[in-house]
Amino acid sequence: MVIFIIAEYCFNPTKRFSLIRDFQIGFQKRSVFTHGLKELANPATLIAFRYDAEYAKKSYQISNLDGYISPSIHAKIEVVKNVLLLSISGETLTQEEWLSRQPKLIDFTLELGPISPQGAQVDSDWYKKYQKSEIIILNMIRNVLNKHAIEHITAIGHGVGGVYAIFALLHYLPTIAPNYKSPLQVVTFGLPRIGNRAFAAYLNLLKFAQVLTIFRVTLYDDYVPRLPRKAFDGQDLAHPLAEYWISSDCGCDEEIEVFFCYGPNILKYGHYFWAESESCVNQFHSPRFNLHNGPYFGIMIGPEIISG
């Protein structure tokens, strides 16, 4: 059983829902957050998260013939109940590679009407790798839309795959705005920090404008969501809203608590920015890498992170 809890940054649970771990009906009832920070997801959202975890796992199992894009990006599209599912696998990095990364930020620009990413910067390496595959990914989406009656688009990614999933739907937005009526969704598992606070604030604005919603799932004391470090090399790195923290490292069927986590609301970059929670995945003094690939609601997703 999964318990869903809204947690303000000081762990104040306000409401609970019990959830049977049966994900077969997930996409019929997936809800989207549209009413501010204290809204509750339909309990079926967590069912859908488990469904998404299955698709994140599939992205590591595809062959060159049905999803190979570049040496570091694999993507697959499926249609389930009028939902387009774009699943993207990440990179297989060792502990030493994660810890020794020295990210450089570059400006992020996007033509999207009045909502502009002022001052936004993103990880240069990951953004350039995505750009090499952008045309192929966007054409994959367009081809499916031309053949099917799609009501929702959801991109799913594990680790760095979540980074590419966010970039993919961000760059898809200008081709459909302002005519697309249903907001796009990205579900990430173990997402590392992508860019600076201005970029995170920009993603939050898209959420509140009901344009793009990010569901950022984290697992207990996984180290990867805490990388790169917030103040790496003087850079102000941050995650967007909102974190859904699985509070147990157990993959069994015991009761699991899932917290909806966010930090204090502060004014920065000319508008309000919700900082990361210092609780949830950020609270541990000795985080681990071996939980990065799961289990997320009982599902192991990506390749195991190894030493050396």
Side-chain angles (χ1 to χ4, degrees), residues 1-298:
M1 179 181 294
V2 178
I3 304 295
F4 180 77
I5 300 175
I6 282 189
E8 297 186 41
Y9 53 92
C10 54
F11 271 112
N12 290 328
T14 58
K15 294 184 180 180
R16 293 180 169 222
F17 286 106
S18 295
L19 177 66
I20 303 301
R21 289 172 57 181
D22 173 8
F23 59 92
Q24 296 300 325
I25 61 169
F27 283 99
Q28 298 181 59
K29 299 183 179 179
R30 176 194 290 280
S31 65
V32 182
F33 296 137
T34 57
H35 303 296
L37 284 173
K38 291 191 176 182
E39 69 216 335
L40 279 174
N42 184 306
T45 297
L46 294 181
I47 299 175
F49 282 170
R50 189 166 191 266
Y51 203 90
D52 294 333
E54 289 281 8
Y55 277 89
K57 180 178 181 179
K58 285 183 179 181
S59 68
Y60 284 96
Q61 301 171 340
I62 58 181
S63 70
N64 290 2
L65 297 179
D66 63 3
Y68 184 75
I69 290 181
S70 75
S72 58
I73 300 180
H74 293 70
K76 187 177 182 65
I77 286 183
E78 294 189 38
V79 177
V80 180
K81 299 181 186 293
N82 295 327
V83 176
L84 185 157
L85 295 173
L86 169 66
S87 53
I88 303 180
S89 67
E91 302 172 356
T92 304
L93 302 177
T94 66
Q95 294 183 25
E96 287 72 17
E97 287 171 330
W98 274 112
L99 292 172
S100 64
R101 283 194 78 246
Q102 299 185 10
K104 301 297 181 182
L105 299 185
I106 58 173
D107 293 339
F108 178 86
T109 58
L110 189 69
E111 296 297 329
L112 195 63
I115 305 178
S116 60
Q118 297 180 2
Q121 293 186 312
V122 296
D123 186 296
S124 173
D125 288 343
W126 291 336
Y127 193 45
K128 289 178 179 178
K129 286 181 181 178
Y130 163 74
Q131 288 178 314
K132 292 179 180 179
S133 305
E134 177 183 346
I135 294 177
I136 299 176
I137 293 177
L138 296 185
N139 284 339
M140 289 170 63
I141 296 175
R142 294 188 186 101
N143 290 339
V144 173
L145 292 178
N146 289 334
K147 297 176 182 178
H148 301 274
I150 299 298
E151 297 178 1
H152 300 281
I153 297 178
T154 297
I156 305 161
H158 170 250
V160 183
V163 176
Y164 299 142
I166 291 173
F167 287 153
L169 291 201
L170 280 175
H171 281 268
Y172 182 66
L173 280 172
T175 68
I176 57 174
N179 299 318
Y180 194 71
K181 303 302 181 182
S182 180
L184 307 180
Q185 304 170 26
V186 180
V187 182
T188 69
F189 299 90
L191 179 74
R193 293 187 178 101
I194 308 173
N196 62 1
R197 283 196 178 193
F199 181 70
Y202 173 63
L203 294 179
N204 294 346
L205 285 177
L206 293 178
K207 166 189 167 68
F208 294 131
Q210 302 183 38
V211 175
L212 174 67
T213 299
I214 296 175
F215 299 86
R216 186 168 64 87
V217 181
T218 62
L219 177 60
Y220 197 56
D221 62 350
D222 178 18
Y223 206 153
V224 172
R226 299 173 62 165
L227 298 172
R229 298 187 303 277
K230 291 182 183 179
F232 179 84
D233 197 24
Q235 301 173 118
D236 194 14
L237 304 180
H239 276 301
L241 282 170
E243 178 184 357
Y244 300 83
W245 177 61
I246 303 172
S247 62
S248 171
D249 60 355
C250 178
C252 55
D253 289 329
E254 68 175 18
E255 183 176 283
I256 299 174
E257 290 184 328
V258 178
F259 287 80
F260 174 46
C261 310
Y262 57 94
N265 185 4
I266 59 178
L267 182 61
K268 199 163 187 176
Y269 307 112
H271 46 72
Y272 284 99
F273 169 80
W274 277 266
E276 289 181 44
S277 171
E278 293 302 323
S279 301
C280 299
V281 81
N282 282 328
Q283 68 181 295
F284 297 94
H285 295 294
S286 300
R288 296 175 289 171
F289 281 102
N290 63 333
L291 285 182
H292 181 56
N293 66 327
Y296 295 91
F297 308 106

